[in-house]
Amino acid sequence: MSLLKASCFVRTWRSVVIRTASSNGPQANTDPSSTPEQKLMKKWGTDNVRIAQQLEEGTVKPFNTIPGPRSFSFLGTKPLFWKIVGKYDKDQHMETYYKFYKEFGEIVREDVHPKHPLVHIYNPADMQTMFIYEGTYPMRYSHMVLEKYRLEKPEVYASGGILPSNGPAWYALRKKFQKSLQDYREVEKYVGRVEEITDEFLEARIQPGIIEDCSQEVARLFMELTSLVAFDERFHAFSEAEMRPDSRSSRLMGSASVINCSIMKTNLNHILWRLFPQLSKAWRDLVVAHAYVEEVALEQIAKKMAYIKEIDATRPENRAPTSTLESYLRLKDTDIRDITGMIVDLLLGGSDTITSSMSYLLHNLSRHPAVQEKIYEECLRIQPDDNGRLPQDVAQKATYTSQVIRESLRINPVAIGIGRVLPVDVVMSGYHVPKFTHIVSQNQVACRLPQYFDDPLEFRPERWERRRYIRGEDHLQEERLVSEKCLSIPFSHGSRVCIAKKVAELDMIVLLLKLCRRYTMRWAGAPKVGMRTVLVHQPDTPIRIEFTERKSLADSSTPSPRT
């Protein structure tokens, strides 16, 4: 027992020291009062002296008085999640953290394991505080097993990558690689090809009648769209040949699922895979799965480098990048190992995350025919001609479709919330939260609470027509308005927002417009669709939907193929 406690203690504080040094390294020789964190403390009055005074006066309650579930010695809260004897389900995060809220209130302290308290926050005002004080380089503890795997292969990777990294190393990666995926002008150039592939998918995989599990179908569409954006190459993921379990697309999707599952398991257990990795099944599974994704990424990088060399030598006028990978390879002073990490991360997130979002979206749509009709009408306004093409700015024009996506992501986000480790002490819900405490905003639970949304369990896209605000009572007027952005933020927030957010939104908008133009949908599955958590939320039942071809299309002749 003492060895485990000592190991956990050393791991926790070693991590804190490393991450703190990483985040503050470039500022080591500057005046401490001039750092962004100190400026924030001065501006908002949350410095240590102020909090200490408030603690002494009793206006702020101590950290150790934050309510929460019972912790068991070196086991932490793990016994509470054991099968049969435990009171919480580790695979049902939404249900578990809703129980936390009902039992303990708007702020909950969970001692996951010794010396690692985790604070759950449910109040949007506390979420706003977290984002205000997240510092220059927003820090989090997640995907740490990816960092371990990649740092043990320095010949392939220069760092842990954009997902687990923190501090200046993370910021350098983010700044270098985000432009090609976060600039709408860059993303809009894919609209035509995204539409073409989506049409091809609907012809090949979505036919009138009942589809037993739409999740499996759309996963292949999004894998194909990922290969388009990342490599400007077709994987033919929804062709008959690629449907085989040993095909490239099937193995990539399976590997991404295994890696995400392994990340979640290792996030919850910090000891075994660090000290004795070969004894950890999650580590062993990740090594095998990650090796295959890495193999595909390296193959695509080699092909694209040869292509660039040929283009530059024979057709220099065609040097404009046609894919994300090509734009990365044309960046100056870029380590090829960093590019490898970025491409692997794109392949990991290219199917699992957006597939989960679209699965819940199709479920919600199939239960609301009136919403389908509004999307259909919007599609007719944007693209009056049945054989016409969507405009490049379709993401800006499809306002109602965007509201539908936002409402579905409010009710069924891909993750419970956002994790941060703040560089300063703060006060949340009247409690002192010390710096370097791991904080998780429980956005999914908060988005289902009636004090923040009218009829929160109803699927009502129209609620996003106007900007909503929540009024506080204990702040000045200018601080009273807390935007809904602190509540419904499925793509994360600020400088750590999902790097492929705009691409994902475009893919979902195009699919919804094309799908609702061609079909009406009726839910034919289980009465209730819950969720299981495998890093991202996934439906716990097949997305079974009946598709009926719209009369206007059924009566018309088959459109001519695209030229």
Side-chain angles (χ1 to χ4, degrees):
M1 292 185 185
S2 59
L3 175 61
L4 289 175
K5 291 183 73 173
S7 300
C8 185
F9 181 85
V10 169
R11 184 209 66 78
T12 302
W13 284 103
R14 179 177 176 273
S15 176
V16 167
V17 169
I18 291 174
R19 293 171 187 270
T20 307
S22 175
S23 296
N24 297 326
Q27 301 168 352
N29 296 322
T30 62
D31 177 7
S33 64
S34 68
T35 64
E37 290 77 14
Q38 290 290 335
K39 288 180 179 178
L40 282 174
M41 289 194 296
K42 286 185 176 181
K43 179 179 179 181
W44 294 91
T46 58
D47 53 49
N48 291 337
V49 175
R50 175 73 60 87
I51 293 177
Q53 182 179 355
Q54 291 172 330
L55 284 167
E56 186 176 344
E57 294 170 351
T59 56
V60 170
K61 289 171 276 191
F63 179 65
N64 59 10
T65 63
I66 297 177
R70 180 183 176 185
S71 179
F72 297 83
S73 186
F74 73 93
L75 292 175
T77 56
K78 288 183 178 62
L80 300 179
F81 293 87
W82 287 348
K83 292 183 179 180
I84 302 177
V85 298
K87 63 185 296 189
Y88 306 116
D89 188 339
K90 66 179 180 180
D91 297 324
Q92 298 291 333
H93 283 191
M94 167 61 194
E95 179 183 325
T96 295
Y97 296 129
Y98 181 71
K99 287 181 179 179
F100 278 12
Y101 171 77
K102 297 298 289 184
E103 289 181 46
F104 307 111
E106 291 188 332
I107 184 168
V108 179
R109 171 177 168 172
E110 179 190 5
D111 291 328
V112 180
H113 56 76
K115 306 300 179 181
H116 192 127
L118 181 64
V119 173
H120 305 273
I121 56 175
Y122 299 82
N123 190 320
D126 290 337
M127 297 176 193
Q128 187 185 44
T129 297
M130 182 179 77
F131 295 135
I132 289 173
Y133 296 104
E134 63 185 6
T136 312
Y137 312 114
M139 187 189 306
R140 67 177 189 175
Y141 294 148
S142 186
H143 297 69
M144 293 171 287
V145 70
L146 280 186
E147 188 172 47
K148 174 178 171 61
Y149 173 87
R150 294 176 183 179
L151 292 181
E152 290 182 359
K153 301 185 75 172
E155 71 282 5
V156 181
Y157 303 100
S159 68
I162 202 169
L163 295 175
S165 295
N166 287 295
W170 163 81
Y171 182 76
L173 288 173
R174 179 81 189 202
K175 186 176 181 180
K176 183 179 287 288
F177 292 117
Q178 69 181 355
K179 182 179 179 181
S180 63
L181 290 172
Q182 291 217 308
D183 187 339
Y184 261 126
R185 291 170 298 180
E186 291 292 321
V187 173
E188 285 175 349
K189 70 183 182 183
Y190 296 110
V191 169
R193 286 178 290 172
V194 168
E195 181 184 8
E196 186 175 348
I197 290 173
T198 303
D199 282 336
E200 184 183 325
F201 165 76
L202 294 177
E203 287 288 343
R205 304 302 306 176
I206 307 297
Q207 299 298 325
I210 293 179
I211 303 294
E212 293 297 331
D213 191 359
C214 293
S215 294
Q216 301 299 319
E217 300 297 339
V218 296
R220 293 188 172 275
L221 169 63
F222 293 128
M223 175 54 68
E224 187 69 8
L225 293 176
T226 297
S227 69
L228 166 71
V229 174
F231 311 123
D232 189 29
E233 181 175 319
R234 296 292 303 272
F235 279 8
H236 302 288
F238 47 83
S239 67
E240 289 300 325
E242 286 293 307
M243 299 298 288
R244 297 196 311 267
D246 61 342
S247 69
R248 175 172 59 178
S249 300
S250 297
R251 291 184 65 188
L252 275 175
M253 291 188 293
S255 296
S257 181
V258 169
I259 291 170
N260 284 335
C261 184
S262 297
I263 291 171
M264 189 192 76
K265 290 178 180 178
T266 53
N267 279 349
L268 297 174
N269 184 351
H270 296 269
I271 300 174
L272 185 61
W273 64 270
R274 286 182 180 274
L275 299 179
F276 313 105
Q278 295 309 315
L279 298 180
S280 169
K281 186 177 184 301
W283 168 262
R284 297 196 306 270
D285 290 345
L286 179 134
V287 168
V288 175
H290 199 291
Y292 181 71
V293 180
E294 180 183 301
E295 177 186 328
V296 174
L298 291 172
E299 176 188 344
Q300 291 297 323
I301 291 171
K303 287 172 63 176
K304 190 60 69 175
M305 290 176 70
Y307 166 81
I308 290 174
K309 185 176 181 180
E310 178 186 352
I311 287 292
D312 289 350
T314 59
R315 289 174 288 166
E317 68 279 4
N318 293 336
R319 285 181 179 175
T322 59
S323 67
T324 300
L325 175 55
E326 185 175 351
S327 68
Y328 288 170
L329 290 171
R330 290 190 179 278
L331 291 172
K332 295 180 180 179
D333 303 322
T334 303
D335 193 326
I336 191 68
R337 298 174 299 167
D338 285 332
I339 295 176
T340 302
M342 287 298 301
I343 295 303
V344 169
D345 289 340
L346 284 177
L347 289 173
L348 292 182
S351 60
D352 251 26
T353 307
I354 191 172
T355 295
S356 176
S357 300
M358 183 53 69
S359 297
Y360 283 114
L361 184 48
L362 292 176
H363 165 248
N364 289 323
L365 265 183
S366 64
R367 288 182 177 271
H368 295 84
V371 176
Q372 296 178 46
E373 290 306 307
K374 288 187 178 182
I375 296 178
Y376 173 68
E377 293 168 4
E378 181 165 78
C379 185
L380 292 181
R381 288 196 301 271
I382 295 173
Q383 186 189 34
D385 184 358
D386 281 343
N387 296 324
R389 285 184 175 271
L390 293 172
Q392 275 205 323
D393 59 349
V394 62
Q396 279 72 49
K397 290 184 175 179
T399 53
Y400 183 75
T401 305
S402 297
Q403 291 168 17
V404 171
I405 294 171
R406 187 169 188 181
E407 177 69 351
S408 183
L409 290 174
R410 177 188 70 84
I411 299 174
N412 302 112
V414 295
I416 56 170
I418 297 171
R420 287 290 186 267
V421 180
L422 302 186
V424 294
D425 290 26
V426 294
V427 175
M428 291 182 169
S429 293
Y431 289 91
H432 170 222
V433 180
K435 61 182 178 181
F436 302 129
T437 300
H438 192 182
I439 304 170
V440 175
S441 61
Q442 292 295 335
N443 298 80
Q444 183 174 15
V445 175
C447 281
R448 296 185 177 202
L449 297 178
Q451 61 263 44
Y452 304 132
F453 290 93
D454 297 331
D455 302 317
L457 298 183
E458 286 191 14
F459 184 73
R460 192 190 300 167
E462 292 76 13
R463 73 173 78 241
W464 298 108
E465 285 179 359
R466 292 198 243 356
R467 191 175 181 85
R468 294 182 66 260
Y469 291 98
I470 299 154
R471 292 189 173 273
E473 297 178 358
D474 303 319
H475 302 284
L476 297 176
Q477 178 65 27
E478 60 268 22
E479 296 175 8
R480 235 176 234 181
L481 301 179
V482 181
S483 169
E484 81 283 349
K485 288 183 179 180
C486 289
L487 282 170
S488 183
I489 40 179
F491 293 99
S492 194
H493 171 84
S495 55
R496 273 218 185 247
V497 71
C498 173
I499 198 169
K501 174 183 179 228
K502 290 182 173 60
V503 176
E505 289 175 333
L506 174 65
D507 290 348
M508 289 192 286
I509 287 171
V510 172
L511 177 56
L512 287 188
L513 290 174
K514 307 297 286 188
L515 193 60
C516 289
R517 186 175 190 124
R518 184 174 298 205
Y519 296 108
T520 59
M521 294 173 279
R522 183 185 69 82
W523 179 247
K528 181 181 178 181
V529 177
M531 60 182 61
R532 60 189 183 93
T533 306
V534 188
L535 191 63
V536 297
H537 294 323
Q538 295 178 349
D540 62 358
T541 186
I543 302 300
R544 192 171 185 265
I545 295 175
E546 181 181 7
F547 292 86
T548 302
E549 195 169 19
R550 289 190 179 272
K551 187 175 180 181
S552 59
L553 289 177
D555 293 343
S556 64
S557 59
T558 304
S560 58
R562 295 187 186 278
T563 57

